[in-house]
Amino acid sequence: MLYRSTRGRFEPVSASQAIKLGIAPDGGLFVPADSVTIENPERLVNSTYQERAQAVLQPFLTGFSDDEVRECVHSAYNATRFDTPAIAPLHKLAPGLHLLELWHGPTCAFKDMALQILPHLLKKSTEKTEEDAEIVILVATSGDTGKAALEGFRDVLGTRIIVFYPEQGVSEIQKRQMVTQEGNNVSVIAVRGNFDDAQSGVKAIFTDDTVKADLANRGFKFSSANSINWGRLVPQIAYYFSAYLDLRRDGEIGPREAINFVVPTGNFGNILAGFYARRMGLPIGRLICAANRNNVLTDFIRTGVYDRNRAFVRTLSPSMDILISSNLERLLFELTGHDNRAAIWMEQLRKTGRYAVDTETVRAVTDLFWSDFADDTETINTIRTTYRESGYPMDTHTAVGRAVYDKYRSATGDATKTVVVSTASPFKFNESVSKALLDKETVAGRSEFELLEILSGLTGWIIPPGLRDLDKKPIRHDRVVDREGMQDAVLQTLRK
Ligand SMILES: *Cc1c(COP(=O)(O)O)cnc(C)c1O
Protein backbone atom coordinates (compact mmCIF):
# COMPACT_ATOMS: atom_id res chain seq x y z
CA MET A 1 0.00 0.00 0.00
CA LEU A 2 1.34 3.40 -1.01
CA TYR A 3 0.19 6.82 0.18
CA ARG A 4 -0.64 9.75 -2.13
CA SER A 5 -0.72 13.44 -1.34
CA THR A 6 -4.11 15.15 -1.60
CA ARG A 7 -2.40 17.95 -3.53
CA GLY A 8 -1.08 15.52 -6.14
CA ARG A 9 2.35 17.07 -6.50
CA PHE A 10 4.44 14.53 -4.61
CA GLU A 11 5.24 10.96 -5.56
CA PRO A 12 3.47 8.16 -3.65
CA VAL A 13 5.39 6.92 -0.60
CA SER A 14 5.39 3.92 1.73
CA ALA A 15 3.43 3.83 4.99
CA SER A 16 6.60 4.38 7.01
CA GLN A 17 7.58 7.40 4.93
CA ALA A 18 4.10 8.90 5.20
CA ILE A 19 4.20 8.51 8.99
CA LYS A 20 7.74 9.88 9.28
CA LEU A 21 7.02 12.90 7.05
CA GLY A 22 3.69 13.71 8.76
CA ILE A 23 2.61 16.21 6.11
CA ALA A 24 3.42 15.81 2.39
CA PRO A 25 6.10 18.22 1.14
CA ASP A 26 3.60 19.72 -1.38
CA GLY A 27 1.44 20.83 1.56
CA GLY A 28 -1.07 17.99 1.15
CA LEU A 29 -2.11 15.16 3.43
CA PHE A 30 -1.28 11.52 2.81
CA VAL A 31 -4.13 9.12 2.03
CA PRO A 32 -4.01 5.43 1.06
CA ALA A 33 -3.67 5.09 -2.72
CA ASP A 34 -5.96 2.02 -2.83
CA SER A 35 -9.01 0.97 -0.90
CA VAL A 36 -8.74 -1.53 1.94
CA THR A 37 -11.45 -3.94 2.97
CA ILE A 38 -11.63 -6.20 6.00
CA GLU A 39 -12.55 -9.79 5.28
CA ASN A 40 -15.49 -10.89 7.38
CA PRO A 41 -15.27 -8.58 10.41
CA GLU A 42 -17.66 -10.93 12.26
CA ARG A 43 -14.73 -13.25 12.96
CA LEU A 44 -13.54 -10.60 15.47
CA VAL A 45 -16.71 -10.61 17.58
CA ASN A 46 -15.02 -12.40 20.48
CA SER A 47 -11.59 -10.83 20.02
CA THR A 48 -9.84 -8.38 22.33
CA TYR A 49 -9.39 -4.69 21.48
CA GLN A 50 -5.74 -5.40 20.69
CA GLU A 51 -6.63 -8.17 18.22
CA ARG A 52 -9.21 -5.97 16.53
CA ALA A 53 -6.77 -3.06 16.29
CA GLN A 54 -4.16 -5.34 14.77
CA ALA A 55 -6.61 -6.59 12.13
CA VAL A 56 -7.54 -3.03 11.16
CA LEU A 57 -4.00 -1.58 11.17
CA GLN A 58 -2.15 -4.39 9.40
CA PRO A 59 -3.48 -3.85 5.83
CA PHE A 60 -2.63 -0.13 6.02
CA LEU A 61 0.90 -0.71 7.28
CA THR A 62 2.50 -2.47 4.34
CA GLY A 63 6.13 -3.06 5.18
CA PHE A 64 5.38 -3.73 8.85
CA SER A 65 5.45 -7.41 9.84
CA ASP A 66 2.62 -8.94 11.87
CA ASP A 67 4.93 -9.03 14.88
CA GLU A 68 5.84 -5.38 14.51
CA VAL A 69 2.21 -4.24 14.40
CA ARG A 70 1.38 -6.47 17.35
CA GLU A 71 4.27 -4.97 19.32
CA CYS A 72 3.05 -1.42 18.59
CA VAL A 73 -0.52 -2.30 19.52
CA HIS A 74 0.47 -3.95 22.81
CA SER A 75 2.88 -1.17 23.79
CA ALA A 76 0.02 1.31 23.40
CA TYR A 77 -3.12 -0.44 24.58
CA ASN A 78 -2.28 -2.12 27.88
CA ALA A 79 -3.11 -2.06 31.57
CA THR A 80 -0.34 0.38 32.50
CA ARG A 81 -1.78 2.95 30.10
CA PHE A 82 -5.55 2.36 30.15
CA ASP A 83 -7.74 1.93 33.22
CA THR A 84 -9.95 -0.77 31.65
CA PRO A 85 -9.00 -3.95 29.79
CA ALA A 86 -11.75 -3.14 27.26
CA ILE A 87 -9.67 -0.04 26.27
CA ALA A 88 -12.68 1.56 24.51
CA PRO A 89 -15.81 0.25 26.28
CA LEU A 90 -19.43 0.90 25.35
CA HIS A 91 -21.92 2.23 27.86
CA LYS A 92 -25.61 1.64 27.20
CA LEU A 93 -27.45 4.89 27.89
CA ALA A 94 -30.92 3.90 26.63
CA PRO A 95 -32.35 1.21 24.33
CA GLY A 96 -30.60 1.63 20.96
CA LEU A 97 -28.29 4.37 22.27
CA HIS A 98 -24.73 3.66 23.40
CA LEU A 99 -21.73 5.77 24.32
CA LEU A 100 -18.27 4.76 23.12
CA GLU A 101 -15.91 5.86 25.91
CA LEU A 102 -12.59 6.87 24.37
CA TRP A 103 -11.13 8.47 27.49
CA HIS A 104 -9.72 5.60 29.52
CA GLY A 105 -6.12 6.46 28.61
CA PRO A 106 -3.58 8.42 30.68
CA THR A 107 -4.83 11.94 29.84
CA CYS A 108 -8.59 11.23 29.98
CA ALA A 109 -9.42 12.38 26.42
CA PHE A 110 -9.77 10.54 23.12
CA LYS A 111 -6.44 11.81 21.77
CA ASP A 112 -4.78 9.03 23.79
CA MET A 113 -6.31 6.44 21.43
CA ALA A 114 -3.96 7.68 18.70
CA LEU A 115 -1.13 9.33 20.62
CA GLN A 116 -0.39 6.24 22.68
CA ILE A 117 0.46 4.27 19.54
CA LEU A 118 1.83 6.97 17.20
CA PRO A 119 5.27 7.12 18.89
CA HIS A 120 5.71 3.38 18.34
CA LEU A 121 4.59 3.56 14.72
CA LEU A 122 6.91 6.53 14.20
CA LYS A 123 9.87 4.79 15.80
CA LYS A 124 9.41 1.72 13.58
CA SER A 125 8.98 4.02 10.58
CA THR A 126 12.30 5.77 11.21
CA GLU A 127 14.03 2.40 11.51
CA LYS A 128 12.48 1.18 8.25
CA THR A 129 13.47 4.31 6.34
CA GLU A 130 17.01 4.02 7.78
CA GLU A 131 16.75 7.36 9.43
CA ASP A 132 19.72 7.94 11.78
CA ALA A 133 18.54 11.23 13.20
CA GLU A 134 16.76 11.47 16.52
CA ILE A 135 13.17 12.57 15.90
CA VAL A 136 12.03 15.80 17.53
CA ILE A 137 8.32 16.37 17.99
CA LEU A 138 7.32 20.01 18.36
CA VAL A 139 3.79 20.66 19.56
CA ALA A 140 1.83 23.85 20.15
CA THR A 141 -1.18 23.02 22.28
CA SER A 142 -4.34 24.65 23.52
CA GLY A 143 -4.66 21.90 26.14
CA ASP A 144 -5.46 18.29 25.30
CA THR A 145 -3.04 17.45 22.50
CA GLY A 146 0.11 18.58 24.32
CA LYS A 147 -0.44 16.36 27.34
CA ALA A 148 -1.52 13.38 25.25
CA ALA A 149 1.59 13.74 23.07
CA LEU A 150 3.84 14.05 26.15
CA GLU A 151 2.40 10.86 27.62
CA GLY A 152 2.73 9.05 24.31
CA PHE A 153 6.33 10.04 23.61
CA ARG A 154 7.77 9.98 27.14
CA ASP A 155 10.84 7.74 27.30
CA VAL A 156 10.34 6.40 23.74
CA LEU A 157 13.92 5.83 22.58
CA GLY A 158 15.11 7.87 19.61
CA THR A 159 12.55 10.63 20.16
CA ARG A 160 12.38 13.98 21.94
CA ILE A 161 9.29 16.04 22.51
CA ILE A 162 8.96 19.79 23.16
CA VAL A 163 5.53 21.22 23.96
CA PHE A 164 4.66 24.93 23.93
CA TYR A 165 1.47 26.13 25.62
CA PRO A 166 0.03 29.63 26.05
CA GLU A 167 0.83 30.75 29.61
CA GLN A 168 -2.69 32.09 30.20
CA GLY A 169 -4.60 30.01 27.68
CA VAL A 170 -5.10 26.61 29.31
CA SER A 171 -7.12 25.48 32.32
CA GLU A 172 -5.47 24.96 35.72
CA ILE A 173 -5.75 21.18 35.38
CA GLN A 174 -4.36 21.17 31.85
CA LYS A 175 -1.41 23.31 32.96
CA ARG A 176 -0.67 21.09 35.95
CA GLN A 177 -0.88 18.01 33.78
CA MET A 178 1.87 19.41 31.60
CA VAL A 179 4.25 21.11 34.06
CA THR A 180 4.40 17.98 36.23
CA GLN A 181 5.20 15.75 33.22
CA GLU A 182 7.76 13.04 33.88
CA GLY A 183 10.13 11.43 31.38
CA ASN A 184 13.73 11.87 30.23
CA ASN A 185 13.02 13.17 26.72
CA VAL A 186 10.30 15.74 27.44
CA SER A 187 10.29 19.54 27.67
CA VAL A 188 7.34 21.79 28.40
CA ILE A 189 7.63 25.54 27.86
CA ALA A 190 5.07 28.30 28.46
CA VAL A 191 4.75 31.08 25.90
CA ARG A 192 3.71 34.62 26.86
CA GLY A 193 0.80 35.05 24.49
CA ASN A 194 -2.18 33.11 23.20
CA PHE A 195 -2.48 29.80 21.38
CA ASP A 196 -2.01 31.45 17.98
CA ASP A 197 1.34 32.89 19.15
CA ALA A 198 2.50 29.44 20.25
CA GLN A 199 1.23 27.84 17.04
CA SER A 200 2.75 30.40 14.68
CA GLY A 201 6.02 30.17 16.62
CA VAL A 202 6.13 26.40 16.15
CA LYS A 203 5.31 26.70 12.45
CA ALA A 204 8.10 29.25 11.99
CA ILE A 205 10.63 26.92 13.65
CA PHE A 206 9.44 23.94 11.56
CA THR A 207 9.98 25.80 8.29
CA ASP A 208 13.21 27.68 9.12
CA ASP A 209 15.97 26.21 6.95
CA THR A 210 18.81 27.48 9.16
CA VAL A 211 17.32 25.85 12.23
CA LYS A 212 16.73 22.62 10.33
CA ALA A 213 20.33 22.58 9.05
CA ASP A 214 21.71 23.38 12.49
CA LEU A 215 19.70 20.55 14.04
CA ALA A 216 20.59 18.12 11.25
CA ASN A 217 24.25 18.74 12.12
CA ARG A 218 23.51 17.75 15.68
CA GLY A 219 21.63 14.63 14.57
CA PHE A 220 18.03 15.80 14.97
CA LYS A 221 15.07 15.94 12.63
CA PHE A 222 11.56 17.35 13.12
CA SER A 223 8.36 15.37 12.74
CA SER A 224 4.74 16.05 13.56
CA ALA A 225 2.32 14.52 16.03
CA ASN A 226 -0.75 16.50 15.05
CA SER A 227 -3.82 15.03 13.48
CA ILE A 228 -2.70 15.51 9.89
CA ASN A 229 -0.26 12.62 10.39
CA TRP A 230 -1.70 9.39 8.92
CA GLY A 231 -0.18 7.57 11.89
CA ARG A 232 -2.68 9.40 14.10
CA LEU A 233 -5.67 8.75 11.89
CA VAL A 234 -5.30 5.03 11.25
CA PRO A 235 -5.44 3.85 14.91
CA GLN A 236 -8.79 5.63 15.24
CA ILE A 237 -10.43 3.39 12.62
CA ALA A 238 -10.06 0.47 15.03
CA TYR A 239 -12.52 1.73 17.65
CA TYR A 240 -15.35 2.06 15.12
CA PHE A 241 -14.95 -1.65 14.37
CA SER A 242 -14.62 -2.42 18.04
CA ALA A 243 -17.88 -0.62 18.92
CA TYR A 244 -19.78 -2.55 16.23
CA LEU A 245 -18.25 -5.84 17.33
CA ASP A 246 -19.13 -5.21 20.98
CA LEU A 247 -22.76 -4.57 19.98
CA ARG A 248 -22.73 -7.85 18.03
CA ARG A 249 -21.10 -9.72 20.90
CA ASP A 250 -23.68 -8.39 23.38
CA GLY A 251 -26.58 -9.26 21.10
CA GLU A 252 -27.61 -5.61 20.69
CA ILE A 253 -27.63 -5.85 16.88
CA GLY A 254 -28.04 -8.61 14.31
CA PRO A 255 -25.45 -9.76 11.76
CA ARG A 256 -24.46 -6.87 9.46
CA GLU A 257 -27.07 -4.59 10.99
CA ALA A 258 -26.11 -1.02 10.14
CA ILE A 259 -25.55 1.45 12.98
CA ASN A 260 -25.11 5.23 13.11
CA PHE A 261 -22.30 7.10 14.84
CA VAL A 262 -22.50 10.61 16.27
CA VAL A 263 -19.08 12.25 16.56
CA PRO A 264 -18.27 15.50 18.39
CA THR A 265 -16.05 17.14 15.80
CA GLY A 266 -13.34 19.80 15.56
CA ASN A 267 -10.56 19.00 13.15
CA PHE A 268 -12.61 16.24 11.42
CA GLY A 269 -10.02 13.60 12.37
CA ASN A 270 -12.18 11.38 14.55
CA ILE A 271 -15.19 11.29 12.23
CA LEU A 272 -12.97 10.77 9.18
CA ALA A 273 -11.74 7.54 10.76
CA GLY A 274 -15.43 6.49 10.83
CA PHE A 275 -15.64 7.24 7.11
CA TYR A 276 -12.65 4.95 6.46
CA ALA A 277 -14.21 2.23 8.64
CA ARG A 278 -17.36 2.41 6.50
CA ARG A 279 -15.28 2.20 3.31
CA MET A 280 -13.57 -0.90 4.69
CA GLY A 281 -16.95 -2.60 4.91
CA LEU A 282 -18.21 -1.77 8.40
CA PRO A 283 -22.02 -1.46 8.24
CA ILE A 284 -22.44 2.20 9.14
CA GLY A 285 -25.62 4.01 8.08
CA ARG A 286 -25.03 7.68 8.84
CA LEU A 287 -22.07 9.55 10.27
CA ILE A 288 -23.51 12.42 12.27
CA CYS A 289 -21.16 15.34 12.73
CA ALA A 290 -21.83 17.22 15.98
CA ALA A 291 -20.45 20.76 16.22
CA ASN A 292 -20.57 23.54 18.79
CA ARG A 293 -21.21 27.21 17.96
CA ASN A 294 -18.14 27.14 15.69
CA ASN A 295 -20.43 25.35 13.25
CA VAL A 296 -18.47 25.74 10.03
CA LEU A 297 -18.79 21.99 9.37
CA THR A 298 -22.56 21.93 9.92
CA ASP A 299 -22.95 24.63 7.29
CA PHE A 300 -20.63 22.77 4.94
CA ILE A 301 -22.39 19.43 5.28
CA ARG A 302 -25.76 21.10 4.67
CA THR A 303 -24.81 23.39 1.80
CA GLY A 304 -21.48 22.38 0.30
CA VAL A 305 -20.06 25.82 1.13
CA TYR A 306 -17.13 25.99 3.53
CA ASP A 307 -16.67 29.49 4.90
CA ARG A 308 -14.32 30.24 7.75
CA ASN A 309 -14.96 33.98 7.54
CA ARG A 310 -16.90 34.20 10.77
CA ALA A 311 -16.26 35.10 14.39
CA PHE A 312 -14.40 32.52 16.44
CA VAL A 313 -16.42 31.64 19.54
CA ARG A 314 -15.00 30.36 22.84
CA THR A 315 -17.30 27.58 24.05
CA LEU A 316 -17.55 25.09 26.91
CA SER A 317 -16.28 22.41 24.51
CA PRO A 318 -12.90 24.07 23.78
CA SER A 319 -11.36 21.10 21.96
CA MET A 320 -13.93 21.66 19.20
CA ASP A 321 -13.31 25.41 18.88
CA ILE A 322 -11.82 25.17 15.41
CA LEU A 323 -12.60 26.98 12.17
CA ILE A 324 -10.21 25.16 9.86
CA SER A 325 -10.91 21.43 9.90
CA SER A 326 -7.73 20.15 8.26
CA ASN A 327 -8.85 16.57 7.79
CA LEU A 328 -11.82 17.54 5.62
CA GLU A 329 -9.28 17.78 2.79
CA ARG A 330 -8.85 14.02 2.96
CA LEU A 331 -12.61 13.41 2.73
CA LEU A 332 -12.92 15.67 -0.33
CA PHE A 333 -9.99 13.95 -2.03
CA GLU A 334 -11.62 10.56 -1.43
CA LEU A 335 -15.09 11.66 -2.59
CA THR A 336 -13.74 13.19 -5.81
CA GLY A 337 -11.93 10.01 -6.86
CA HIS A 338 -8.45 11.40 -6.12
CA ASP A 339 -8.61 14.10 -8.83
CA ASN A 340 -7.39 17.70 -8.45
CA ARG A 341 -10.61 19.29 -7.16
CA ALA A 342 -9.66 19.04 -3.46
CA ALA A 343 -6.35 20.81 -4.17
CA ILE A 344 -8.19 23.64 -5.97
CA TRP A 345 -10.67 24.08 -3.10
CA MET A 346 -7.84 24.16 -0.55
CA GLU A 347 -6.11 26.86 -2.57
CA GLN A 348 -9.36 28.87 -2.54
CA LEU A 349 -9.61 28.34 1.21
CA ARG A 350 -6.08 29.64 1.69
CA LYS A 351 -6.71 32.71 -0.47
CA THR A 352 -10.28 33.66 0.47
CA GLY A 353 -11.21 31.57 3.51
CA ARG A 354 -14.04 29.99 1.52
CA TYR A 355 -14.86 27.40 -1.15
CA ALA A 356 -17.98 25.80 -2.61
CA VAL A 357 -17.91 22.19 -3.85
CA ASP A 358 -19.84 20.98 -6.90
CA THR A 359 -23.30 19.39 -6.70
CA GLU A 360 -21.97 15.87 -7.27
CA THR A 361 -19.71 16.23 -4.23
CA VAL A 362 -22.48 17.79 -2.12
CA ARG A 363 -24.60 14.72 -2.89
CA ALA A 364 -21.76 12.37 -1.97
CA VAL A 365 -21.34 14.22 1.34
CA THR A 366 -25.04 14.30 2.26
CA ASP A 367 -25.45 10.62 1.37
CA LEU A 368 -23.13 9.74 4.24
CA PHE A 369 -23.14 12.63 6.65
CA TRP A 370 -25.66 14.66 8.59
CA SER A 371 -24.83 17.56 10.88
CA ASP A 372 -26.17 19.96 13.46
CA PHE A 373 -24.71 21.89 16.37
CA ALA A 374 -25.43 22.60 20.05
CA ASP A 375 -24.71 25.86 21.88
CA ASP A 376 -23.43 26.12 25.47
CA THR A 377 -26.89 26.28 27.04
CA GLU A 378 -27.99 23.14 25.21
CA THR A 379 -24.73 21.48 26.20
CA ILE A 380 -25.24 22.19 29.91
CA ASN A 381 -28.90 21.16 29.73
CA THR A 382 -27.94 17.88 28.08
CA ILE A 383 -25.41 17.09 30.82
CA ARG A 384 -28.08 17.83 33.43
CA THR A 385 -30.95 15.86 31.87
CA THR A 386 -28.76 12.89 30.99
CA TYR A 387 -27.57 12.72 34.58
CA ARG A 388 -31.12 12.98 35.92
CA GLU A 389 -32.44 10.32 33.56
CA SER A 390 -29.57 7.83 33.58
CA GLY A 391 -27.18 8.84 36.37
CA TYR A 392 -24.44 9.22 33.80
CA PRO A 393 -22.18 12.30 34.00
CA MET A 394 -21.00 13.28 30.54
CA ASP A 395 -18.36 15.85 29.62
CA THR A 396 -19.19 18.91 27.51
CA HIS A 397 -17.90 17.49 24.20
CA THR A 398 -19.86 14.28 24.61
CA ALA A 399 -22.92 16.36 25.55
CA VAL A 400 -22.69 18.20 22.24
CA GLY A 401 -22.84 14.77 20.58
CA ARG A 402 -25.85 13.68 22.64
CA ALA A 403 -27.70 16.95 21.97
CA VAL A 404 -27.15 16.60 18.23
CA TYR A 405 -28.30 12.96 18.37
CA ASP A 406 -31.63 14.16 19.84
CA LYS A 407 -31.91 16.75 17.06
CA TYR A 408 -31.19 14.10 14.44
CA ARG A 409 -33.89 11.80 15.83
CA SER A 410 -36.53 14.52 15.78
CA ALA A 411 -35.50 15.85 12.37
CA THR A 412 -35.37 12.50 10.57
CA GLY A 413 -37.28 9.98 12.69
CA ASP A 414 -34.42 7.58 11.98
CA ALA A 415 -34.43 4.99 14.79
CA THR A 416 -31.26 3.20 13.69
CA LYS A 417 -29.24 2.02 16.70
CA THR A 418 -26.65 4.64 17.43
CA VAL A 419 -23.27 5.05 19.10
CA VAL A 420 -22.37 8.52 20.39
CA VAL A 421 -18.61 8.86 20.58
CA SER A 422 -17.61 10.11 24.04
CA THR A 423 -14.36 12.05 23.72
CA ALA A 424 -13.46 13.11 27.27
CA SER A 425 -13.92 12.09 30.88
CA PRO A 426 -16.31 14.34 32.81
CA PHE A 427 -13.46 14.93 35.29
CA LYS A 428 -11.36 16.55 32.59
CA PHE A 429 -13.86 19.40 32.10
CA ASN A 430 -15.07 19.27 35.69
CA GLU A 431 -15.85 22.96 36.04
CA SER A 432 -18.58 22.92 33.39
CA VAL A 433 -19.86 19.51 34.47
CA SER A 434 -20.08 20.68 38.11
CA LYS A 435 -22.01 23.77 37.06
CA ALA A 436 -24.48 21.56 35.21
CA LEU A 437 -24.98 19.10 38.06
CA LEU A 438 -24.68 21.20 41.22
CA ASP A 439 -26.14 24.42 42.52
CA LYS A 440 -24.25 27.70 42.23
CA GLU A 441 -23.22 27.92 45.90
CA THR A 442 -21.52 24.53 45.88
CA VAL A 443 -19.41 25.41 42.85
CA ALA A 444 -18.62 29.09 43.46
CA GLY A 445 -15.04 29.87 44.46
CA ARG A 446 -13.85 26.26 44.26
CA SER A 447 -10.62 25.30 42.51
CA GLU A 448 -10.72 22.63 39.81
CA PHE A 449 -8.99 20.27 42.23
CA GLU A 450 -11.72 20.70 44.83
CA LEU A 451 -14.36 20.21 42.14
CA LEU A 452 -12.80 16.86 41.21
CA GLU A 453 -13.45 15.64 44.75
CA ILE A 454 -16.97 17.07 44.82
CA LEU A 455 -17.84 15.51 41.46
CA SER A 456 -16.44 12.18 42.61
CA GLY A 457 -18.52 12.36 45.79
CA LEU A 458 -21.66 13.16 43.83
CA THR A 459 -21.34 10.52 41.12
CA GLY A 460 -19.48 7.77 42.97
CA TRP A 461 -17.00 7.66 40.07
CA ILE A 462 -13.36 7.55 41.08
CA ILE A 463 -11.05 10.37 40.00
CA PRO A 464 -8.87 9.04 37.15
CA PRO A 465 -5.23 8.46 38.17
CA GLY A 466 -4.02 10.99 35.58
CA LEU A 467 -5.92 13.81 37.29
CA ARG A 468 -5.65 12.73 40.92
CA ASP A 469 -3.22 14.58 43.20
CA LEU A 470 -1.98 16.77 40.38
CA ASP A 471 -1.78 19.74 42.75
CA LYS A 472 0.60 17.76 44.97
CA LYS A 473 3.03 16.60 42.26
CA PRO A 474 6.35 18.46 41.91
CA ILE A 475 6.60 21.01 39.10
CA ARG A 476 9.29 19.86 36.69
CA HIS A 477 8.95 22.46 33.92
CA ASP A 478 8.86 26.16 34.70
CA ARG A 479 10.39 27.86 31.67
CA VAL A 480 8.46 30.81 30.23
CA VAL A 481 9.52 32.50 26.99
CA ASP A 482 8.29 35.24 24.66
CA ARG A 483 7.06 34.32 21.21
CA GLU A 484 10.45 35.58 19.91
CA GLY A 485 12.33 33.33 22.31
CA MET A 486 10.82 30.03 21.20
CA GLN A 487 13.48 29.22 18.64
CA ASP A 488 16.31 29.73 21.14
CA ALA A 489 14.46 27.59 23.64
CA VAL A 490 14.33 24.73 21.13
CA LEU A 491 18.00 25.04 20.25
CA GLN A 492 18.97 25.12 23.94
CA THR A 493 16.85 22.09 24.73
CA LEU A 494 18.48 20.13 21.92
CA ARG A 495 22.07 20.81 22.85
CA LYS A 496 23.69 17.39 23.00
C1 LIG B 1 -9.71 16.81 19.87
C2 LIG B 1 -11.03 16.62 20.53
C3 LIG B 1 -12.23 16.62 19.78
C4 LIG B 1 -12.29 16.87 18.29
O1 LIG B 1 -11.75 15.80 17.54
P1 LIG B 1 -11.36 15.99 16.01
O2 LIG B 1 -10.65 14.76 15.61
O3 LIG B 1 -10.45 17.21 15.98
O4 LIG B 1 -12.59 16.24 15.24
C5 LIG B 1 -13.42 16.39 20.48
N1 LIG B 1 -13.43 16.22 21.82
C6 LIG B 1 -12.29 16.22 22.56
C7 LIG B 1 -12.38 16.03 24.05
C8 LIG B 1 -11.05 16.42 21.95
O5 LIG B 1 -9.92 16.43 22.71
Side-chain angles (χ1 to χ4, degrees):
M1 167 75 75
L2 292 176
Y3 288 80
R4 305 180 49 169
S5 164
T6 51
R7 305 279 167 101
R9 292 188 301 272
F10 189 68
E11 80 271 9
V13 297
S14 66
S16 42
Q17 262 160 334
I19 291 169
K20 189 177 85 179
L21 287 168
I23 189 163
D26 64 358
L29 310 187
F30 287 115
V31 302
D34 307 303
S35 61
V36 170
T37 50
I38 279 228
E39 297 287 324
N40 182 25
E42 303 283 329
R43 75 192 144 90
L44 298 165
V45 162
N46 291 311
S47 305
T48 61
Y49 189 85
Q50 292 81 351
E51 289 161 343
R52 293 167 179 174
Q54 163 125 25
V56 170
L57 286 168
Q58 194 77 55
F60 286 106
L61 297 175
T62 318
F64 286 63
S65 70
D66 287 10
D67 280 345
E68 286 173 326
V69 176
R70 190 172 305 116
E71 221 179 288
C72 290
V73 163
H74 284 272
S75 307
Y77 307 121
N78 64 57
T80 64
R81 304 282 175 149
F82 285 78
D83 66 11
T84 163
I87 307 295
L90 284 178
H91 175 91
K92 187 171 183 174
L93 206 55
L97 179 61
H98 290 78
L99 294 175
L100 173 60
E101 296 178 343
L102 299 182
W103 39 260
H104 289 276
T107 77
C108 310
F110 102 96
K111 305 235 171 5
D112 288 330
M113 297 303 298
L115 280 165
Q116 280 298 311
I117 190 168
L118 176 69
H120 302 285
L121 296 174
L122 188 59
K123 185 158 187 302
K124 293 258 188 294
S125 296
T126 59
E127 287 162 12
K128 284 179 195 303
T129 52
E130 297 183 358
E131 178 67 63
D132 303 322
E134 200 169 334
I135 297 292
V136 178
I137 302 293
L138 282 189
V139 181
T141 184
S142 58
D144 286 347
T145 305
K147 178 61 186 180
L150 286 163
E151 276 300 323
F153 279 93
R154 72 187 268 189
D155 297 328
V156 173
L157 290 177
T159 70
R160 301 273 192 110
I161 174 162
I162 306 174
V163 170
F164 290 99
Y165 70 93
E167 194 185 13
Q168 308 294 343
V170 300
S171 78
E172 186 54 30
I173 287 225
Q174 287 174 324
K175 184 171 178 168
R176 280 285 173 148
Q177 277 190 308
M178 290 191 278
V179 297
T180 57
Q181 179 67 44
E182 294 166 5
N184 291 321
N185 60 341
V186 302
S187 307
V188 177
I189 303 168
V191 181
R192 290 185 197 95
N194 59 26
F195 172 63
D196 285 335
D197 295 319
Q199 169 132 302
S200 65
V202 162
K203 274 197 185 141
I205 298 168
F206 258 129
T207 48
D208 187 314
D209 288 332
T210 5
V211 177
K212 274 196 268 187
D214 185 353
L215 289 186
N217 277 333
R218 301 194 220 163
F220 292 112
K221 187 173 199 165
F222 289 131
S223 185
S224 148
N226 68 24
S227 77
I228 52 179
N229 193 323
W230 178 255
R232 252 188 82 172
L233 204 102
V234 70
Q236 298 179 168
I237 302 173
Y239 51 72
Y240 286 90
F241 275 90
S242 189
Y244 168 85
L245 293 164
D246 277 358
L247 291 175
R248 287 282 301 118
R249 183 198 59 205
D250 299 344
E252 297 281 347
I253 55 173
R256 301 216 45 84
E257 180 177 340
I259 55 173
N260 291 340
F261 282 93
V262 182
V263 190
T265 305
N267 222 342
F268 210 74
N270 194 348
I271 196 167
L272 184 71
F275 166 81
Y276 280 108
R278 191 177 187 277
R279 280 224 156 164
M280 291 170 77
L282 191 70
I284 297 178
R286 271 271 158 71
L287 287 163
I288 297 160
C289 170
N292 63 25
R293 279 284 309 287
N294 296 294
N295 57 350
V296 62
L297 283 167
T298 302
D299 290 346
F300 172 73
I301 288 170
R302 290 181 175 181
T303 65
V305 177
Y306 193 97
D307 191 350
R308 63 157 301 203
N309 302 304
R310 61 181 74 203
F312 174 87
V313 187
R314 285 193 167 282
T315 73
L316 298 179
S317 43
S319 304
M320 295 156 65
D321 290 344
I322 287 175
L323 289 178
I324 300 192
S325 301
S326 333
N327 270 300
L328 190 59
E329 178 170 353
R330 283 193 167 110
L331 176 75
L332 295 174
F333 190 63
E334 297 290 12
L335 294 181
T336 51
H338 292 191
D339 69 16
N340 65 350
R341 279 176 280 176
I344 293 169
W345 294 326
M346 290 309 122
E347 184 58 17
Q348 288 171 355
L349 179 66
R350 195 181 63 78
K351 282 198 180 133
T352 67
R354 181 185 185 277
Y355 60 88
V357 303
D358 50 69
T359 46
E360 180 196 349
T361 308
V362 177
R363 199 169 312 123
V365 170
T366 45
D367 267 355
L368 294 177
F369 293 89
W370 191 90
S371 182
D372 207 335
F373 70 98
D375 64 20
D376 281 350
T377 310
E378 292 169 319
T379 303
I380 291 291
N381 286 340
T382 303
I383 295 172
R384 187 174 297 137
T385 47
T386 302
Y387 189 71
R388 277 197 195 133
E389 285 164 7
S390 344
Y392 186 97
M394 44 177 49
D395 101 290
T396 50
H397 304 77
T398 309
V400 168
R402 168 81 207 258
V404 168
Y405 167 74
D406 291 339
K407 292 182 186 200
Y408 175 77
R409 280 293 297 262
S410 8
T412 63
D414 181 3
T416 302
K417 292 182 184 122
T418 299
V419 173
V420 175
V421 177
S422 174
T423 52
S425 154
F427 288 106
K428 183 129 200 197
F429 296 91
N430 59 66
E431 208 176 337
S432 302
V433 177
S434 304
K435 279 183 187 152
L437 300 187
L438 296 157
D439 50 62
K440 274 208 184 73
E441 297 76 67
T442 316
V443 180
R446 305 275 186 184
S447 76
E448 285 191 48
F449 301 106
E450 290 170 308
L451 290 177
L452 282 177
E453 302 287 346
I454 293 174
L455 208 52
S456 173
L458 174 75
T459 58
W461 285 24
I462 58 163
I463 303 173
L467 301 178
R468 204 185 302 146
D469 299 332
L470 266 183
D471 48 341
K472 299 183 190 81
K473 283 194 182 156
I475 290 177
R476 307 184 75 241
H477 308 272
D478 56 4
R479 249 193 301 176
V480 186
V481 300
D482 289 321
R483 156 80 176 76
E484 293 70 35
M486 290 171 63
Q487 183 169 318
D488 269 353
V490 169
L491 293 173
Q492 262 176 31
T493 304
L494 298 177
R495 230 167 273 298
K496 271 210 161 165

